Amino acid sequence: MNGEWVIVSSERAKRPADYASTAKVRNIPPEHSSDCPFCKGNEHKCDAPTYEIKDGNDWKLRVVPNKFAAVSRPEHIPDTPLPRTRILGMHLLAQGYGAAEVVIESQKHNANLAFMEKNQVCEVIRAYKERFNALSEDPNIAMVNIFKNYGASAGASLEHPHSQIIATHVLATHITDEMAYARRAFNTYGTCIFCDLLKKEMDSGDRIVATSKHFAAFCPFASRNPYEVRLFPLKHSALFGTISEEEMEDLAGILQLILAKMSALLTDPDYNYYVRTVPNSDGKVGYYHWHIVITPRLTRPAGFELGTRIYINTTPPEAAAAELRGQF
Ligand SMILES: [Zn+2]
Ligand SMILES: [Zn+2]
């Protein structure tokens, strides 16, 4: 649908157990780690929270600035456009302006988003929403990215359950390309291409993994990565920051369900997920539909993928969806 080719290899088709060699044996973490900056009692190892959910005098969830931030903001938000300069008359250089924050999902070092209390997952989603909306108020911020890295091969350097938010003042070109494609389709057909896709996937059912009152999860047609799942709100909505209370509760349940299914089927794989949304300034557009992409890290792009951006997916999405559906 996005113009990218994928080779879905039925010759080399793999079953879940075939990926086991890529799975690492995960240490069983303790409930508390004295070295961990995110554990209770070590709050002084982090900067003051930008957001916190309290439980009496105690905290349930905290959002703190990332100590190893890739981007940062000055104390005073500039009210003039940030300069961009030319290098050698060809390259463009911009300031690394933005914000990087960590969502500490629980006090417990050994908590796991897939299995923690559903209302705690709802608080995690609420933290995403609150920080998304707060960071979006800065006129210099073009894009607020919410994502989770779970496990070392997915890029997580700390074991403690956490997600991340990185807001930048530049937009990624592959996101603007996807939005331009969706906008062209909207101008041509007059409907949201994602709403159309969702309806067709629901009608067919072949790639559907799970549905809830407000969401549907499916393995995309010819996905680049095996067992990739996309989670869409059923009602058209372009902007993640507008998610309602009822939708957050519902999303917590279906997000956990997908993660638990992946954990059971693929033996607790490393994974990434990320939220795709229009920026706040584009709030009510008809052409885009926010969603979450969940990708277990089972394979690694190699020379062919790096050279061509054509991926080889060794598990057809229809088979992946059927296997994920079959887990409880
Ligand atoms: Zn910890
Ligand atoms: Zn839509």
Side-chain angles (χ1 to χ4, degrees):
M1 198 176 100
N2 58 5
E4 303 248 7
W5 288 103
V6 172
I7 298 174
V8 179
S9 168
S10 44
E11 273 298 285
R12 298 165 59 187
K14 285 189 172 181
R15 306 258 320 133
D18 299 332
Y19 293 107
S21 59
T22 59
K24 308 228 168 40
V25 178
R26 210 179 294 288
N27 295 328
I28 297 172
E31 190 174 314
H32 184 270
S33 164
S34 51
D35 301 333
C36 171
F38 300 158
C39 268
K40 187 174 157 56
N42 290 344
E43 290 81 1
H44 61 280
K45 293 188 177 174
C46 295
D47 291 337
T50 55
Y51 179 78
E52 192 170 37
I53 295 175
K54 291 273 202 184
D55 185 9
N57 286 332
D58 221 351
W59 59 270
K60 275 178 81 180
L61 175 151
R62 304 173 88 216
V63 182
V64 296
N66 192 328
K67 280 257 186 211
F68 305 99
V71 289
S72 60
R73 289 193 292 180
E75 194 94 331
H76 295 289
I77 305 288
D79 53 9
T80 52
L82 300 171
R84 296 183 186 188
T85 48
R86 287 262 174 212
I87 305 290
L88 300 178
M90 297 183 85
H91 308 297
L92 209 51
L93 185 71
Q95 193 186 330
Y97 183 97
E101 301 186 347
V102 179
V103 180
I104 306 170
E105 295 163 3
S106 165
Q107 274 195 1
K108 288 191 182 159
H109 191 78
N110 62 350
N112 184 326
L113 197 72
F115 306 109
M116 63 178 67
E117 299 249 330
K118 190 180 127 187
N119 66 8
Q120 185 73 12
V121 181
C122 190
E123 299 297 10
V124 172
I125 296 166
R126 190 189 315 284
Y128 293 167
K129 176 185 177 177
E130 294 295 326
R131 293 310 298 154
F132 179 90
N133 288 337
L135 290 165
S136 295
E137 275 172 26
D138 178 346
N140 303 297
I141 295 289
M143 176 172 77
V144 182
N145 297 282
I146 300 160
F147 59 97
K148 181 172 172 73
N149 303 336
Y150 175 82
S153 72
S157 49
L158 287 168
E159 204 171 44
H160 196 109
H162 68 284
S163 326
Q164 293 187 61
I165 301 171
I166 297 185
T168 62
H169 89 284
V170 293
L171 275 168
T173 47
H174 83 273
I175 294 179
T176 51
D177 286 352
E178 183 181 277
M179 287 182 186
Y181 180 84
R183 192 195 295 246
R184 268 202 309 278
F186 185 78
N187 287 341
T188 308
Y189 304 109
T191 52
C192 164
I193 197 166
F194 299 99
C195 281
D196 294 348
L197 175 68
L198 206 50
K199 185 172 181 322
K200 301 225 172 195
E201 291 294 353
M202 295 282 273
D203 287 348
S204 137
D206 288 350
R207 283 172 291 274
I208 296 286
V209 175
T211 56
S212 62
K213 187 171 175 203
H214 297 290
F215 290 87
F218 62 90
C219 293
F221 179 81
S223 64
R224 280 176 150 193
N225 298 295
Y227 298 92
E228 182 175 303
V229 171
R230 294 192 179 218
L231 189 47
F232 280 79
L234 292 169
K235 190 184 81 184
H236 178 81
S237 168
L239 183 66
F240 167 73
T242 59
I243 188 170
S244 70
E245 188 66 38
E246 188 182 322
E247 287 164 339
M248 285 197 288
E249 279 172 33
D250 191 49
L251 177 58
I254 192 166
L255 179 62
Q256 277 199 301
L257 178 68
I258 302 301
L259 296 176
K261 280 172 177 284
M262 283 182 177
S263 179
L265 181 68
L266 302 164
T267 327
D268 191 20
D270 291 358
Y271 66 82
N272 299 103
Y273 69 63
Y274 49 91
V275 177
R276 273 287 164 79
T277 169
V278 289
N280 222 17
S281 50
D282 289 354
K284 288 203 169 116
V285 293
Y287 64 84
Y288 200 74
H289 200 122
W290 78 263
H291 58 280
I292 300 177
V293 183
I294 309 164
T295 307
R297 298 299 292 256
L298 303 169
T299 54
R300 195 174 285 213
F304 181 69
E305 287 84 355
L306 294 176
T308 61
R309 295 201 65 184
I310 296 176
Y311 278 57
I312 302 172
N313 181 344
T314 42
T315 303
E318 297 72 24
E323 284 160 359
L324 287 167
R325 253 193 329 265
Q327 298 294 314
F328 43 84

